[in-house]
Amino acid sequence: MKIFFIILSLFSLGNLYAQTQPAKPTPFAVSTHPLKYEGRQMIVGQAMGGLEKEYRLLDDGGIFRRMNTAKEFEVLGEQTPKNIEMAFKSLQEIKFDTMNFQHPGRTSYFIIYKKGKKEHKVMWGDGKHPAPESAVRVYKAFMGMIPKEMRL
């Protein structure tokens, strides 16, 4: 429960910051395009039919969004080093790298941890297979930092 409140606090602070920052058409916080970025990335999203929405937090502070497999990302804001570490630490605390859960449904949700070319994905949505509660909490906390008017 303590971890949940820490995660919620982290993303609430991010939400306050992101609400004051307008979406920008090109990255300002990263040195390379998110698809070529070699550092850590936390990616969360939702898929419905052929439509996929994703949001990325890079360990250099950039927060991005994109629709489907578009190569262009929009910048939503930038996070502080402390908040970035807390976000990535939340994945460690739930032992995300050991979760093996791939049960998509008509509407699916996912979290991906990526570093360089290596990535680990957890996906849920099939009602017959309840999602790991810890993954759902991290997903909701992450989405809580994205203002509703900036969501796809």
Side-chain angles (χ1 to χ4, degrees):
M1 193 69 161
K2 183 178 178 183
I3 293 172
F4 174 72
F5 287 112
I6 291 171
I7 293 168
L8 186 61
S9 297
L10 160 73
F11 291 120
S12 295
L13 289 173
N15 188 20
L16 288 174
Y17 180 81
Q19 288 177 354
T20 64
Q21 301 298 313
K24 298 182 189 314
T26 57
F28 67 89
V30 296
S31 56
T32 61
H33 193 278
L35 292 178
K36 296 179 181 177
Y37 189 71
E38 294 294 321
R40 297 175 300 167
Q41 297 186 50
M42 184 175 175
I43 307 163
V44 302
Q46 178 182 14
M48 250 185 321
L51 178 67
E52 186 174 289
K53 304 178 251 183
E54 76 171 49
Y55 303 87
R56 291 183 184 227
L57 172 65
L58 280 58
D59 66 3
D60 71 356
I63 302 174
F64 300 85
R65 71 177 182 187
R66 76 172 175 166
M67 183 77 72
N68 282 9
T69 56
K71 291 187 179 182
E72 294 304 315
F73 287 82
E74 287 184 85
V75 176
L76 298 180
E78 186 175 16
Q79 279 294 319
T80 65
K82 181 179 178 183
N83 288 348
I84 295 163
E85 285 306 311
M86 287 178 67
F88 286 102
K89 188 174 182 182
S90 71
L91 292 177
Q92 291 175 338
E93 288 173 350
I94 66 169
K95 297 180 174 59
F96 183 77
D97 60 338
T98 63
M99 282 187 191
N100 186 13
F101 198 84
Q102 299 294 321
H103 296 284
R106 289 179 56 108
T107 300
S108 300
Y109 303 90
F110 60 87
I111 301 173
I112 301 170
Y113 171 78
K114 182 174 182 179
K115 185 172 182 184
K117 295 182 193 280
K118 292 178 69 174
E119 67 178 53
H120 182 71
K121 182 176 187 176
V122 170
M123 180 177 250
W124 65 93
D126 183 348
K128 296 177 186 174
H129 302 277
E133 289 181 27
S134 57
V136 173
R137 281 194 312 267
V138 169
Y139 177 92
K140 287 180 178 180
F142 186 100
M143 290 306 295
M145 79 173 171
I146 309 293
K148 288 184 181 179
E149 64 274 6
M150 295 181 130
R151 294 183 188 177
L152 298 170

Coordinates of all heavy atoms in Angstrom, one line a residue, residues 23-96:
A23 N 1.6 20.9 -25.4 CA 2.2 19.8 -26.2 C 3.1 20.5 -27.3 O 2.7 21.5 -27.9 CB 1.2 19.0 -26.9
K24 N 4.2 20.0 -27.6 CA 5.1 20.5 -28.6 C 5.3 19.5 -29.7 O 5.3 18.3 -29.5 CB 6.5 20.9 -28.0 CG 6.4 21.9 -26.9 CD 7.8 22.2 -26.3 CE 7.8 23.1 -25.1 NZ 7.0 24.2 -25.0
P25 N 5.5 20.0 -31.0 CA 5.6 19.1 -32.1 C 6.9 18.3 -32.2 O 7.0 17.3 -32.8 CB 5.4 20.0 -33.3 CG 5.8 21.3 -32.8 CD 5.5 21.4 -31.4
T26 N 8.0 18.8 -31.6 CA 9.3 18.2 -31.7 C 9.9 18.0 -30.3 O 9.6 18.8 -29.4 CB 10.2 19.0 -32.6 OG1 10.4 20.3 -32.1 CG2 9.7 19.0 -34.0
P27 N 10.7 17.0 -30.1 CA 11.4 16.8 -28.8 C 12.3 17.9 -28.4 O 13.0 18.5 -29.2 CB 12.2 15.5 -29.0 CG 11.6 14.8 -30.2 CD 11.0 16.0 -31.1
F28 N 12.2 18.3 -27.1 CA 13.1 19.3 -26.6 C 14.0 18.7 -25.5 O 15.0 19.2 -25.1 CB 12.4 20.5 -26.0 CG 11.6 20.2 -24.8 CD1 12.1 20.3 -23.6 CD2 10.2 19.8 -25.0 CE1 11.3 20.0 -22.4 CE2 9.5 19.5 -23.8 CZ 10.0 19.6 -22.6
A29 N 13.6 17.5 -25.0 CA 14.2 17.0 -23.8 C 15.2 15.9 -24.1 O 15.9 15.5 -23.3 CB 13.1 16.5 -22.8
V30 N 15.1 15.4 -25.3 CA 16.0 14.2 -25.6 C 17.0 14.6 -26.7 O 16.8 15.5 -27.5 CB 15.2 13.0 -26.1 CG1 14.3 12.5 -25.0 CG2 14.4 13.3 -27.3
S31 N 18.1 13.9 -26.7 CA 19.1 14.1 -27.7 C 18.9 13.3 -29.0 O 19.4 13.7 -30.1 CB 20.5 13.7 -27.2 OG 20.5 12.4 -26.7
T32 N 18.1 12.3 -28.9 CA 17.7 11.5 -30.1 C 16.2 11.2 -30.2 O 15.5 11.4 -29.2 CB 18.5 10.2 -30.2 OG1 18.1 9.4 -29.0 CG2 20.0 10.4 -30.2
H33 N 15.8 10.7 -31.3 CA 14.4 10.3 -31.5 C 14.0 9.2 -30.5 O 14.9 8.3 -30.3 CB 14.2 9.9 -32.9 CG 12.8 9.8 -33.3 ND1 12.0 8.7 -33.0 CD2 11.9 10.6 -34.0 CE1 10.8 8.8 -33.5 NE2 10.7 10.0 -34.1
P34 N 12.8 9.2 -29.9 CA 12.5 8.1 -28.9 C 12.7 6.7 -29.5 O 13.0 5.8 -28.7 CB 11.1 8.4 -28.6 CG 10.9 9.9 -28.7 CD 11.8 10.2 -29.9
L35 N 12.5 6.5 -30.8 CA 12.6 5.1 -31.3 C 14.1 4.7 -31.4 O 14.4 3.5 -31.4 CB 12.0 5.1 -32.7 CG 10.5 5.2 -32.8 CD1 10.0 5.1 -34.2 CD2 9.8 4.1 -32.0
K36 N 15.0 5.7 -31.4 CA 16.4 5.4 -31.4 C 17.1 5.6 -30.1 O 18.3 5.3 -29.9 CB 17.1 6.2 -32.5 CG 16.6 6.0 -33.9 CD 17.3 6.9 -34.8 CE 16.8 6.6 -36.2 NZ 17.4 7.5 -37.2
Y37 N 16.3 6.0 -29.1 CA 16.9 6.3 -27.8 C 17.4 5.0 -27.1 O 16.7 4.0 -27.1 CB 15.8 6.9 -26.9 CG 16.3 7.5 -25.6 CD1 17.1 8.6 -25.6 CD2 16.0 6.9 -24.4 CE1 17.6 9.1 -24.4 CE2 16.4 7.4 -23.2 CZ 17.2 8.5 -23.2 OH 17.7 9.0 -22.0
E38 N 18.6 5.0 -26.6 CA 19.2 3.8 -26.0 C 19.1 3.7 -24.5 O 19.3 2.7 -23.9 CB 20.7 3.8 -26.3 CG 21.0 3.6 -27.8 CD 20.6 2.3 -28.4 OE1 20.8 1.3 -27.6 OE2 20.1 2.2 -29.5
G39 N 18.6 4.8 -23.8 CA 18.4 4.8 -22.4 C 17.1 4.1 -22.0 O 16.5 3.4 -22.9
R40 N 16.8 4.2 -20.8 CA 15.6 3.5 -20.3 C 14.3 4.2 -20.7 O 14.3 5.4 -20.7 CB 15.6 3.4 -18.7 CG 16.7 2.6 -18.1 CD 16.7 2.7 -16.6 NE 16.9 4.1 -16.2 CZ 16.7 4.6 -15.0 NH1 16.3 3.7 -14.0 NH2 16.8 5.8 -14.7
Q41 N 13.3 3.4 -21.0 CA 12.0 4.0 -21.4 C 10.9 3.2 -20.7 O 11.0 2.0 -20.6 CB 11.8 3.9 -22.9 CG 12.7 4.7 -23.8 CD 12.3 4.6 -25.2 OE1 11.2 4.9 -25.6 NE2 13.3 4.3 -26.1
M42 N 9.9 3.9 -20.2 CA 8.7 3.3 -19.7 C 7.6 3.7 -20.6 O 7.3 4.9 -20.8 CB 8.5 3.8 -18.3 CG 7.3 3.2 -17.6 SD 7.3 3.8 -15.8 CE 5.8 3.1 -15.3
I43 N 7.0 2.7 -21.2 CA 5.9 2.9 -22.2 C 4.6 2.3 -21.7 O 4.6 1.1 -21.3 CB 6.3 2.3 -23.6 CG1 7.7 2.7 -24.0 CG2 5.3 2.6 -24.6 CD1 8.4 1.9 -25.1
V44 N 3.6 3.1 -21.7 CA 2.3 2.6 -21.3 C 1.3 2.9 -22.5 O 1.5 3.9 -23.2 CB 1.7 3.1 -20.0 CG1 2.7 2.8 -18.9 CG2 1.5 4.6 -20.1
G45 N 0.3 2.1 -22.6 CA -0.7 2.3 -23.7 C -1.9 1.5 -23.6 O -2.1 0.6 -22.7
Q46 N -2.7 1.7 -24.7 CA -4.0 1.0 -24.8 C -4.1 0.7 -26.3 O -3.8 1.5 -27.2 CB -5.1 1.9 -24.4 CG -6.5 1.3 -24.5 CD -7.6 2.3 -24.1 OE1 -7.3 3.5 -23.9 NE2 -8.8 1.9 -23.9
A47 N -4.7 -0.5 -26.5 CA -4.9 -1.0 -27.9 C -6.4 -1.4 -28.0 O -6.9 -2.1 -27.2 CB -4.0 -2.1 -28.3
M48 N -7.0 -1.0 -29.1 CA -8.4 -1.3 -29.4 C -8.5 -1.6 -30.9 O -8.4 -0.6 -31.7 CB -9.4 -0.2 -29.0 CG -10.2 -0.4 -27.8 SD -11.4 0.9 -27.5 CE -10.6 2.4 -27.8
G49 N -8.7 -2.8 -31.3 CA -8.8 -3.1 -32.7 C -7.5 -2.7 -33.3 O -6.4 -3.1 -32.9
G50 N -7.5 -1.9 -34.4 CA -6.3 -1.5 -35.0 C -5.8 -0.2 -34.5 O -4.8 0.4 -35.0
L51 N -6.4 0.4 -33.4 CA -5.9 1.6 -32.9 C -5.1 1.4 -31.6 O -5.5 0.7 -30.7 CB -7.2 2.5 -32.5 CG -7.0 3.8 -31.8 CD1 -6.3 4.8 -32.8 CD2 -8.3 4.4 -31.3
E52 N -3.9 2.0 -31.6 CA -3.0 1.9 -30.4 C -2.5 3.3 -30.0 O -2.1 4.0 -30.8 CB -1.9 1.0 -30.7 CG -1.0 0.7 -29.5 CD 0.1 -0.3 -29.8 OE1 -0.2 -1.5 -30.0 OE2 1.3 0.1 -29.9
K53 N -2.7 3.6 -28.7 CA -2.2 4.8 -28.2 C -1.1 4.5 -27.2 O -1.2 3.6 -26.4 CB -3.3 5.5 -27.4 CG -4.5 5.8 -28.3 CD -5.6 6.5 -27.4 CE -6.7 5.5 -27.2 NZ -7.8 6.1 -26.4
E54 N 0.0 5.3 -27.2 CA 1.1 5.0 -26.3 C 1.7 6.3 -25.8 O 1.6 7.4 -26.4 CB 2.2 4.2 -26.9 CG 3.1 4.9 -27.9 CD 4.3 4.1 -28.3 OE1 4.1 2.9 -28.7 OE2 5.4 4.6 -28.2
Y55 N 2.2 6.2 -24.6 CA 2.9 7.3 -23.9 C 4.2 6.8 -23.4 O 4.3 5.7 -22.9 CB 2.0 7.8 -22.7 CG 0.6 8.2 -23.1 CD1 -0.4 7.3 -23.2 CD2 0.3 9.5 -23.5 CE1 -1.7 7.6 -23.6 CE2 -0.9 9.9 -23.9 CZ -1.9 8.9 -24.0 OH -3.2 9.3 -24.4
R56 N 5.3 7.6 -23.6 CA 6.6 7.2 -23.2 C 7.3 8.2 -22.2 O 7.2 9.4 -22.4 CB 7.5 7.1 -24.4 CG 7.2 6.0 -25.3 CD 8.2 6.0 -26.5 NE 7.8 4.9 -27.4 CZ 8.5 4.0 -27.9 NH1 9.8 4.0 -27.6 NH2 8.1 3.1 -28.8
L57 N 7.9 7.6 -21.2 CA 8.7 8.4 -20.3 C 10.2 7.9 -20.5 O 10.5 6.7 -20.4 CB 8.4 8.2 -18.8 CG 9.3 8.8 -17.8 CD1 9.3 10.3 -17.9 CD2 8.9 8.4 -16.4
L58 N 11.1 8.8 -20.9 CA 12.5 8.5 -21.1 C 13.3 8.9 -19.9 O 12.9 9.9 -19.2 CB 13.0 9.2 -22.4 CG 12.7 8.6 -23.7 CD1 11.2 8.5 -24.0 CD2 13.3 9.4 -24.8
D59 N 14.3 8.2 -19.6 CA 15.1 8.5 -18.4 C 15.9 9.8 -18.5 O 16.5 10.2 -17.5 CB 16.0 7.4 -18.0 CG 17.1 7.1 -19.0 OD1 17.3 7.8 -20.0 OD2 17.9 6.1 -18.7
D60 N 15.8 10.5 -19.6 CA 16.4 11.9 -19.7 C 15.3 13.0 -19.4 O 15.6 14.1 -19.5 CB 17.1 12.1 -21.0 CG 16.1 12.3 -22.2 OD1 14.9 12.1 -22.0 OD2 16.6 12.6 -23.3
G61 N 14.1 12.5 -19.1 CA 13.0 13.4 -18.7 C 11.9 13.7 -19.7 O 10.9 14.2 -19.3
G62 N 12.1 13.3 -20.9 CA 11.0 13.5 -21.9 C 9.8 12.6 -21.7 O 9.9 11.5 -21.4
I63 N 8.6 13.2 -21.9 CA 7.4 12.5 -21.9 C 6.7 12.7 -23.3 O 6.6 13.9 -23.7 CB 6.4 13.0 -20.8 CG1 7.1 12.9 -19.5 CG2 5.1 12.2 -20.9 CD1 6.2 13.4 -18.3
F64 N 6.4 11.6 -24.0 CA 5.9 11.7 -25.3 C 4.6 10.9 -25.5 O 4.3 10.1 -24.7 CB 7.0 11.1 -26.3 CG 8.3 11.7 -26.3 CD1 9.2 11.4 -25.3 CD2 8.6 12.7 -27.2 CE1 10.5 12.0 -25.3 CE2 9.8 13.4 -27.2 CZ 10.8 13.0 -26.2
R65 N 3.9 11.2 -26.6 CA 2.8 10.4 -27.0 C 2.8 10.2 -28.5 O 3.4 11.0 -29.2 CB 1.5 11.1 -26.5 CG 1.2 12.3 -27.4 CD -0.2 12.9 -27.0 NE -0.4 14.1 -27.9 CZ -1.4 14.9 -27.7 NH1 -2.3 14.7 -26.7 NH2 -1.6 15.9 -28.5
R66 N 2.1 9.1 -28.9 CA 1.9 8.9 -30.3 C 0.7 7.9 -30.5 O 0.4 7.2 -29.6 CB 3.1 8.4 -31.0 CG 3.5 6.9 -30.8 CD 4.6 6.5 -31.7 NE 5.0 5.1 -31.3 CZ 5.7 4.3 -32.1 NH1 6.2 4.8 -33.2 NH2 6.0 3.1 -31.7
M67 N 0.2 7.9 -31.7 CA -0.9 7.1 -32.1 C -0.4 6.0 -33.1 O 0.3 6.4 -34.0 CB -2.0 7.9 -32.8 CG -3.2 7.1 -33.2 SD -4.3 6.8 -31.8 CE -5.0 8.4 -31.4
N68 N -0.8 4.8 -32.9 CA -0.4 3.6 -33.7 C 1.1 3.5 -33.9 O 1.8 3.8 -33.0 CB -1.2 3.6 -35.0 CG -2.6 3.1 -34.8 OD1 -3.1 2.9 -33.7 ND2 -3.3 2.9 -35.9
T69 N 1.5 3.3 -35.1 CA 2.9 3.1 -35.3 C 3.5 4.3 -36.0 O 4.5 4.2 -36.7 CB 3.2 1.9 -36.2 OG1 2.4 2.0 -37.4 CG2 2.8 0.6 -35.5
A70 N 2.9 5.5 -35.8 CA 3.5 6.7 -36.3 C 4.9 6.9 -35.8 O 5.2 6.6 -34.7 CB 2.6 7.9 -36.0
K71 N 5.8 7.4 -36.7 CA 7.1 7.7 -36.3 C 7.3 9.0 -35.5 O 8.3 9.2 -34.9 CB 8.1 7.6 -37.5 CG 8.2 6.2 -38.0 CD 9.2 6.1 -39.1 CE 9.3 4.7 -39.6 NZ 10.3 4.5 -40.6
E72 N 6.3 9.8 -35.7 CA 6.4 11.1 -35.0 C 5.8 11.1 -33.7 O 4.7 10.6 -33.5 CB 5.8 12.2 -35.9 CG 6.5 12.5 -37.2 CD 8.0 12.8 -37.0 OE1 8.3 13.6 -36.1 OE2 8.8 12.2 -37.7
F73 N 6.5 11.7 -32.7 CA 6.0 11.8 -31.3 C 5.7 13.2 -31.0 O 6.3 14.1 -31.6 CB 7.1 11.3 -30.4 CG 7.2 9.8 -30.4 CD1 8.0 9.2 -31.3 CD2 6.6 9.0 -29.4 CE1 8.2 7.8 -31.3 CE2 6.8 7.6 -29.4 CZ 7.6 7.1 -30.4
E74 N 4.8 13.4 -30.1 CA 4.6 14.8 -29.6 C 5.1 14.8 -28.2 O 4.9 13.8 -27.4 CB 3.1 15.1 -29.5 CG 2.4 15.3 -30.8 CD 1.0 15.7 -30.7 OE1 0.7 16.9 -30.4 OE2 0.1 14.8 -30.7
V75 N 5.8 15.9 -27.8 CA 6.3 16.0 -26.4 C 5.2 16.6 -25.6 O 4.5 17.5 -25.9 CB 7.5 17.0 -26.4 CG1 8.0 17.2 -25.0 CG2 8.6 16.5 -27.3
L76 N 5.0 15.9 -24.4 CA 4.0 16.4 -23.5 C 4.6 17.2 -22.3 O 3.9 17.9 -21.6 CB 3.2 15.2 -22.9 CG 2.4 14.4 -23.9 CD1 1.7 13.2 -23.2 CD2 1.4 15.2 -24.7
G77 N 5.9 17.0 -22.1 CA 6.5 17.7 -21.0 C 7.8 17.1 -20.6 O 8.4 16.3 -21.4
E78 N 8.3 17.5 -19.5 CA 9.6 17.0 -19.0 C 9.5 16.7 -17.5 O 8.9 17.5 -16.8 CB 10.7 18.0 -19.3 CG 12.1 17.5 -19.0 CD 13.1 18.5 -19.4 OE1 12.8 19.7 -19.7 OE2 14.3 18.2 -19.5
Q79 N 10.1 15.6 -17.0 CA 10.1 15.3 -15.6 C 11.5 15.6 -15.0 O 12.5 15.7 -15.6 CB 9.8 13.8 -15.4 CG 8.4 13.5 -15.5 CD 7.6 14.1 -14.4 OE1 8.0 14.1 -13.2 NE2 6.4 14.6 -14.7
T80 N 11.5 15.7 -13.6 CA 12.7 16.0 -12.9 C 13.4 14.6 -12.7 O 12.8 13.6 -12.7 CB 12.4 16.5 -11.5 OG1 11.7 15.5 -10.7 CG2 11.6 17.8 -11.5
P81 N 14.7 14.7 -12.5 CA 15.5 13.4 -12.3 C 14.9 12.6 -11.1 O 14.9 11.4 -11.2 CB 16.9 13.9 -12.0 CG 17.0 15.2 -12.7 CD 15.6 15.8 -12.6
K82 N 14.5 13.2 -10.0 CA 14.0 12.5 -8.9 C 12.7 11.8 -9.3 O 12.5 10.6 -9.0 CB 13.7 13.5 -7.8 CG 13.1 12.8 -6.5 CD 12.9 13.8 -5.4 CE 12.3 13.1 -4.2 NZ 11.9 14.1 -3.1
N83 N 11.8 12.4 -10.0 CA 10.5 11.7 -10.4 C 10.8 10.6 -11.4 O 10.1 9.6 -11.4 CB 9.6 12.8 -11.0 CG 9.0 13.6 -9.9 OD1 9.1 13.4 -8.7 ND2 8.3 14.7 -10.4
I84 N 11.8 10.8 -12.3 CA 12.1 9.8 -13.3 C 12.6 8.5 -12.6 O 12.1 7.4 -12.9 CB 13.2 10.3 -14.2 CG1 12.7 11.5 -15.1 CG2 13.7 9.2 -15.1 CD1 13.8 12.3 -15.7
E85 N 13.5 8.7 -11.6 CA 14.0 7.6 -10.9 C 12.9 6.9 -10.1 O 12.9 5.6 -10.0 CB 15.2 8.0 -9.9 CG 16.5 8.2 -10.7 CD 16.9 7.0 -11.6 OE1 16.9 5.9 -11.1 OE2 17.2 7.3 -12.7
M86 N 12.0 7.6 -9.5 CA 10.9 7.0 -8.8 C 10.0 6.2 -9.7 O 9.5 5.1 -9.3 CB 10.1 8.1 -8.1 CG 10.8 8.7 -6.9 SD 9.8 10.0 -6.0 CE 8.5 9.0 -5.4
A87 N 9.8 6.7 -10.9 CA 8.9 6.0 -11.9 C 9.6 4.6 -12.2 O 8.9 3.6 -12.2 CB 8.7 6.8 -13.1
F88 N 10.9 4.7 -12.6 CA 11.5 3.4 -12.9 C 11.7 2.5 -11.7 O 11.7 1.3 -11.9 CB 12.9 3.7 -13.6 CG 12.7 4.2 -15.0 CD1 12.8 5.6 -15.3 CD2 12.4 3.4 -16.1 CE1 12.6 6.0 -16.6 CE2 12.2 3.8 -17.4 CZ 12.3 5.2 -17.6
K89 N 11.9 3.1 -10.6 CA 12.0 2.3 -9.4 C 10.6 1.5 -9.1 O 10.6 0.4 -8.6 CB 12.3 3.1 -8.2 CG 12.7 2.4 -6.9 CD 13.2 3.2 -5.8 CE 13.5 2.4 -4.6 NZ 13.9 3.1 -3.5
S90 N 9.5 2.2 -9.4 CA 8.2 1.5 -9.2 C 8.2 0.2 -10.0 O 7.6 -0.8 -9.5 CB 7.1 2.4 -9.6 OG 7.0 2.6 -11.0
L91 N 8.8 0.1 -11.2 CA 8.8 -1.1 -12.0 C 9.7 -2.1 -11.2 O 9.3 -3.3 -11.2 CB 9.4 -0.8 -13.4 CG 8.5 0.0 -14.3 CD1 9.1 0.2 -15.6 CD2 7.1 -0.7 -14.5
Q92 N 10.8 -1.7 -10.7 CA 11.6 -2.6 -9.9 C 10.9 -3.2 -8.7 O 11.0 -4.4 -8.4 CB 12.9 -2.0 -9.5 CG 13.9 -1.6 -10.6 CD 15.1 -0.8 -10.1 OE1 15.0 -0.2 -9.0 NE2 16.1 -0.9 -10.9
E93 N 10.2 -2.3 -8.0 CA 9.5 -2.7 -6.8 C 8.4 -3.8 -7.0 O 8.2 -4.6 -6.2 CB 8.9 -1.5 -6.1 CG 10.0 -0.7 -5.4 CD 9.5 0.6 -4.9 OE1 8.3 1.0 -5.1 OE2 10.3 1.3 -4.2
I94 N 7.8 -3.8 -8.2 CA 6.8 -4.8 -8.5 C 7.4 -5.9 -9.2 O 6.6 -6.8 -9.7 CB 5.6 -4.2 -9.3 CG1 6.0 -3.7 -10.7 CG2 4.9 -3.1 -8.5 CD1 4.8 -3.3 -11.6
K95 N 8.7 -5.9 -9.4 CA 9.4 -7.0 -10.1 C 8.9 -7.2 -11.5 O 8.6 -8.3 -11.9 CB 9.4 -8.3 -9.3 CG 10.1 -8.2 -7.9 CD 10.0 -9.5 -7.2 CE 10.8 -9.5 -5.9 NZ 10.5 -8.6 -4.9
F96 N 8.7 -6.1 -12.2 CA 8.1 -6.0 -13.5 C 8.9 -7.0 -14.5 O 8.3 -7.6 -15.3 CB 8.1 -4.6 -14.0 CG 7.5 -4.5 -15.4 CD1 6.1 -4.5 -15.5 CD2 8.3 -4.3 -16.5 CE1 5.5 -4.4 -16.8 CE2 7.7 -4.2 -17.8 CZ 6.3 -4.2 -17.9

